[in-house]
Amino acid sequence: MNKAVVREKIVQFIERLIQPESSSQAIALSFSLGTLIAILPTPGFGIFIGLLLILVFRMLNKIAMVLAITMWNPLLQLPVYYASYWLGSVLLNRSAPTVIEESWITLLTRHTQAFLVGNSVLAALISVFSYIMVVQLVSYYRKRRAIAEIIRIYQVRSEKAQSA
């Protein structure tokens, strides 16, 4: 594919994403919920949870939700999961055991608790940040597009006036 075709496909995708019937807040909420679902440890079930939310809450933007869920692929999730465990360990004030005398179930429970606490906090923070970012981006894009449309209409009117 040449660059013009790829660019046109991207523009069409963005146009569908920010469809006029969806508010900036609905698009941002959908993306934020998709991000939250993708970051929380729901191995393989994230897309189904997202689709269920889309069916229940009709105001959600389908494209934004699915985009967010698919964007957070395992390569992006690995650093988040590592940071989740670290943050959970800090919040729970736990350090790695120096002598492993505890049973494996106790160790598993301690590490799982640290991961889940850190992941919950981190997922919430990233989701809130993504909401703010997407609201700003969609609003900016819509304003830019509206200004371009006004300029185009003005140019057409001025050309008609000059030709008359």
Side-chain angles (χ1 to χ4, degrees):
M1 273 191 206
N2 64 25
K3 289 181 183 181
V5 173
V6 171
R7 180 173 162 66
E8 183 62 30
K9 295 269 187 199
I10 291 171
V11 168
Q12 288 174 355
F13 178 77
I14 291 172
E15 292 293 328
R16 282 191 8 236
L17 175 63
I18 64 165
Q19 52 192 292
E21 57 269 5
S22 291
S23 68
S24 299
Q25 292 81 11
I27 293 170
L29 179 64
S30 302
F31 191 86
S32 179
L33 281 174
T35 297
L36 182 69
I37 291 167
I39 292 175
L40 290 175
T42 55
F45 295 107
I47 194 74
F48 298 115
I49 295 169
L51 292 175
L52 180 65
L53 285 174
I54 289 169
L55 290 174
V56 173
F57 301 104
R58 297 268 182 205
M59 57 89 57
L60 293 175
N61 186 292
K62 298 166 196 65
I63 297 172
M65 174 82 75
V66 172
L67 177 67
I69 291 171
T70 56
M71 181 189 84
W72 286 97
N73 61 46
L75 289 177
L76 289 177
Q77 286 177 335
L78 284 176
V80 171
Y81 285 171
Y82 177 78
S84 296
Y85 177 74
W86 176 84
L87 180 62
S89 296
V90 169
L91 291 175
L92 295 174
N93 198 21
R94 295 187 179 159
S95 60
T98 53
V99 179
I100 302 178
E101 293 180 2
E102 299 175 14
S103 70
W104 67 271
I105 194 76
T106 305
L107 286 173
L108 181 66
T109 304
R110 284 176 50 127
H111 293 299
T112 302
Q113 286 174 342
F115 171 75
L116 291 176
V117 166
N119 188 261
S120 299
V121 171
L122 208 54
L125 289 174
I126 292 171
S127 294
V128 168
F129 176 74
S130 72
Y131 177 85
I132 294 167
M133 185 181 72
V134 170
V135 163
Q136 296 297 318
L137 287 172
V138 170
S139 296
Y140 171 77
Y141 186 80
R142 283 183 172 170
K143 285 177 190 174
R144 203 173 121 210
R145 190 173 65 179
I147 290 170
E149 184 65 21
I150 290 169
I151 291 171
R152 188 188 65 75
I153 291 170
Y154 178 74
Q155 287 174 345
V156 168
R157 285 185 181 169
S158 65
E159 288 173 3
K160 285 182 181 179
Q162 289 175 355
S163 65

